[in-house]
Amino acid sequence: MKVTNNIRRNYIDTIGYLLIVLFSYAAFSKILDYQTFTIQLGQSPLLSAFAGWVAWLIPSVELLIAGLLMFKPTRLLALVTFFALMMMFSAYIYIILNFSEFVPCSCGGILEKMTWNQHLIFNLIICLITILAIIFSLQELQQQNKGWRLRHSLVLIFTVSIFAIGIVLLLFVKSEQIIHKENNFIRRYPPHLYNKSAQFNLKYDGYYFAGMVNDTIYLGNFLSPLSIIAINSNLKKIGNYSIELDNYNLPYRTAQVRISPPYFFLTDGTVPCIFKGKIRTWKAKQLQEVKAHFSVFEPIDSTTAAIRSRNAKTNESVLGLLTFSNGNTSVSWNDGLLQKQIDGVFDCDGILRYNLNNQKLIYTYYYRNQFIVADKSIKDFYRDNTIDTTTLAKIKIASLGNGVRKLAQPSLMVNKLSSTVGNQLFINSNLRAHFESLKLWKQSSAIDVYNLKTKTYEYSFHVYNINNKKPQAMYATKDKVYFIFDKVLVAYQIDKSVRR
């Protein structure tokens, strides 16, 4: 059937009015709930790195197109631009469904109730309707002797399609590079990777993770340094143990237990002293006197541990390797690991962990966005950054006289907790990232996961508060991450797809 001019004109007008309503509604829904829209873009596998400017660009373009559709001289331009944008949306959805690391939750707005596949079908139908409107518009130009032919219409549509798809592919590749390697503090929360699997009531507070042997977790207690609780990986209590020492006549102040199977160590760096014993008996003997005081002790094996102490000349923090064998103890220092920014003590404060799988020591600073990965000789090392942008420690120090110094005010803590297993480093960040929900941030803690092999940021997950408390301790294993909330021990199961 031959299409008359009236049919063409009515079709173009009808489609124009439909698209005006569609894009006006879509734009205003984004503007009215701008914060939610921005947060959704921040979790997009393709657009999270560009969420800031995309959040205002999309509704602006949608309103511009709706405005151009209202006027006959600009309607063809508006239709072509609309088609390009819909092709970009379609390419975006197709990439998410087929090439993305994860499929995010559906966005809000006019298509809130649709699945991603339904989104794609809807978009393609709208694209086909728009193509016909473009062809009809170009046929009108042909009748006005402006040189347009059907082949010109097809070339234009094909060119616009390729351009739109190319833009989305470029954004996808660039966004992945930025998020994983050049991240400017944007977190990505893939859904359903971590789920709370068990919970255990500890009855008392003051517990910390002493270590793990096979499927048994051992918890020490700051308030009762000689007490140990054993719990299996499913958070069922196995038993209580009491450590026996061969010397109780020391001025203990900060005694803690660390486990390196089949041994355990009870240490107090203020004395300083180190006791070593076997887990099988929980009886420990004091090692030969350790001359260096230390504030952190992390065992590497039965005869070696990494410690943090003070440089005798500068009084600044320094990492060293403590060896104890054949009744002798010795310490070798590496003055180049910890880097001074303000005082060399508080600004260098952090968490020391040993990764048994890779035989690496990892030191995570509290007050700056950096961690250090060193071999167990602490000679070969590299530095890497967390996704936070706090490069300089934001602390103020007060001198109380007699060489005593303290933090003058609450400081900006960047990294609160740290744990490592396999090729992964887990860091509990203390700061809210860009495009994160303030409400969710208050209700949970963010755990950022880094790949030590590829030296990239991978993803983040939420750990929800218990009794309005945030986690005070964290311990990662190959299939679970454990957290202590005051008097509660919680296990989060790791999906197999993200274990490294």
Side-chain angles (χ1 to χ4, degrees):
M1 183 182 72
K2 187 176 180 179
V3 180
T4 65
N5 291 338
N6 286 336
I7 292 176
R8 290 196 193 95
R9 174 50 45 203
N10 291 336
Y11 181 86
I12 294 171
D13 290 342
T14 301
I15 295 302
Y17 296 140
L18 173 64
L19 300 186
I20 288 171
V21 173
L22 178 66
F23 260 21
S24 296
Y25 177 86
F28 282 115
S29 66
K30 294 179 179 70
I31 293 171
L32 293 174
D33 201 2
Y34 179 78
Q35 183 178 7
T36 300
F37 178 56
T38 306
I39 291 172
Q40 289 171 341
L41 286 178
Q43 294 309 307
S44 165
L46 274 71
L47 301 176
S48 50
F50 314 108
W53 58 267
V54 170
W56 61 260
L57 179 63
I58 290 179
S60 298
V61 172
E62 288 175 339
L63 287 176
L64 176 62
I65 292 173
L68 294 174
L69 284 168
M70 295 180 182
F71 306 100
K72 185 177 179 179
T74 57
R75 187 164 292 171
L76 176 58
L77 174 62
L79 287 171
V80 174
T81 308
F82 176 89
F83 173 72
L85 199 58
M86 291 303 294
M87 284 299 296
M88 292 176 70
F89 290 161
S90 301
Y92 169 78
I93 296 172
Y94 183 81
I95 292 174
I96 281 180
L97 291 174
N98 294 278
F99 301 102
S100 170
E101 293 179 351
F102 65 96
V103 178
C105 298
S106 179
C107 297
I110 193 169
L111 305 178
E112 181 178 9
K113 304 301 180 182
M114 289 187 182
T115 66
W116 283 106
N117 283 306
Q118 290 170 339
H119 274 238
L120 182 58
I121 293 172
F122 176 85
N123 284 2
L124 292 177
I125 291 173
I126 295 297
C127 285
L128 291 174
I129 291 173
T130 307
I131 287 174
L132 189 56
I134 293 172
I135 292 174
F136 284 169
S137 298
L138 292 174
Q139 285 178 344
E140 286 190 344
L141 288 178
Q142 179 185 348
Q143 291 177 354
Q144 298 172 15
N145 296 319
K146 294 192 176 180
W148 282 96
R149 298 290 185 269
L150 178 59
R151 65 176 183 274
H152 296 151
S153 304
L154 298 177
V155 170
L156 174 64
I157 293 168
F158 178 78
T159 303
V160 171
S161 300
I162 295 300
F163 175 78
I165 294 171
I167 290 294
V168 176
L169 286 173
L170 181 63
L171 289 175
F172 173 58
V173 173
K174 187 61 179 177
S175 180
E176 289 300 287
Q177 178 185 350
I178 292 174
I179 287 296
H180 293 301
K181 295 185 178 181
E182 304 169 16
N183 196 302
N184 194 29
F185 208 15
I186 299 173
R187 290 196 175 98
R188 180 174 285 180
Y189 292 97
H192 315 306
L193 294 185
Y194 287 74
N195 295 291
K196 183 178 175 181
S197 61
Q199 182 171 314
F200 179 79
N201 186 2
L202 295 170
K203 295 184 180 180
Y204 306 102
D205 57 9
Y207 284 100
Y208 62 89
F209 293 103
M212 190 169 186
V213 181
N214 297 324
D215 290 330
T216 302
I217 306 165
Y218 292 98
L219 302 181
N221 193 295
F222 294 112
L223 304 178
S224 181
L226 300 181
S227 297
I228 295 291
I229 291 181
I231 301 172
N232 68 19
S233 58
N234 295 319
L235 302 194
K236 303 296 182 182
K237 187 175 179 180
I238 297 175
N240 293 318
Y241 303 98
S242 182
I243 296 174
E244 296 182 20
L245 305 178
D246 64 348
N247 184 1
Y248 294 95
N249 300 318
L250 293 173
Y252 302 105
R253 288 195 298 172
T254 61
Q256 292 187 39
V257 177
R258 289 290 183 269
I259 290 175
S260 179
Y263 299 96
F264 74 91
F265 298 88
L266 185 143
T267 67
D268 191 331
T270 64
V271 176
C273 65
I274 299 174
F275 291 82
K276 178 182 175 182
K278 289 191 175 182
I279 299 170
R280 179 171 51 84
T281 62
W282 294 105
K283 295 180 180 180
K285 294 183 178 181
Q286 185 178 1
L287 300 180
Q288 184 173 337
E289 182 181 359
V290 181
K291 296 181 180 180
H293 290 76
F294 54 88
S295 53
V296 172
F297 178 94
E298 184 67 13
I300 295 174
D301 52 41
S302 62
T303 61
T304 314
I307 61 172
R308 186 184 68 200
S309 184
R310 296 282 190 90
N311 186 299
K313 296 181 179 179
T314 64
N315 202 34
E316 296 172 1
S317 293
V318 61
L319 292 181
L321 200 63
L322 176 66
T323 57
F324 32 86
S325 60
N326 300 322
N328 299 315
T329 61
S330 61
V331 183
S332 58
W333 304 104
N334 187 331
D335 296 327
L337 277 175
L338 301 184
Q339 293 180 316
K340 175 181 176 180
Q341 289 186 337
I342 299 173
D343 70 328
V345 179
F346 291 105
D347 61 344
C348 289
D349 205 0
I351 314 160
L352 181 62
R353 295 285 182 256
Y354 180 63
N355 186 308
L356 181 62
N357 309 93
N358 294 323
Q359 298 185 343
K360 298 289 186 181
L361 285 160
I362 302 172
Y363 190 86
T364 306
Y365 287 105
Y366 279 137
Y367 302 111
R368 67 181 93 163
N369 66 340
Q370 189 181 90
F371 57 88
I372 305 166
V373 181
D375 66 356
K376 60 182 183 180
S377 70
I378 67 170
K379 293 180 179 179
D380 184 22
F381 65 93
Y382 69 87
R383 306 179 192 278
D384 207 345
N385 295 105
T386 62
I387 58 175
D388 183 85
T389 55
T390 308
T391 57
L392 298 175
K394 297 179 181 179
I395 59 176
K396 289 187 177 181
I397 301 166
S399 178
L400 304 181
N402 297 323
V404 178
R405 293 176 296 175
K406 289 187 176 182
L407 292 175
Q409 62 186 36
S411 302
L412 183 68
M413 179 176 282
V414 177
N415 304 309
K416 180 182 176 184
L417 304 173
S418 174
S419 188
T420 180
V421 66
N423 290 320
Q424 291 182 315
L425 172 64
F426 297 77
I427 294 179
N428 171 209
S429 174
N430 208 41
L431 299 178
R432 178 177 164 225
H434 301 310
F435 318 123
E436 283 195 271
S437 166
L438 178 59
K439 180 180 179 181
L440 186 58
W441 177 253
K442 291 179 179 179
Q443 296 173 346
S444 64
S445 296
I447 310 298
D448 301 325
V449 184
Y450 300 87
N451 191 309
L452 298 173
K453 185 176 181 180
T454 60
K455 300 181 183 180
T456 57
Y457 162 75
E458 291 199 318
Y459 54 86
S460 302
F461 65 96
H462 289 290
V463 174
Y464 290 90
N465 300 346
I466 295 180
N467 300 324
N468 294 320
K469 297 285 187 179
K470 292 184 177 291
Q472 288 98 46
M474 175 173 64
Y475 193 89
T477 66
K478 64 179 181 179
D479 59 351
K480 291 180 181 178
V481 183
Y482 299 91
F483 299 90
I484 295 177
F485 296 79
D486 198 14
K487 301 176 183 178
V488 180
L489 174 63
V490 174
Y492 274 71
Q493 185 72 39
I494 306 174
D495 189 86
K496 292 181 180 180
S497 64
V498 293
R499 297 175 193 173
R500 301 287 188 268

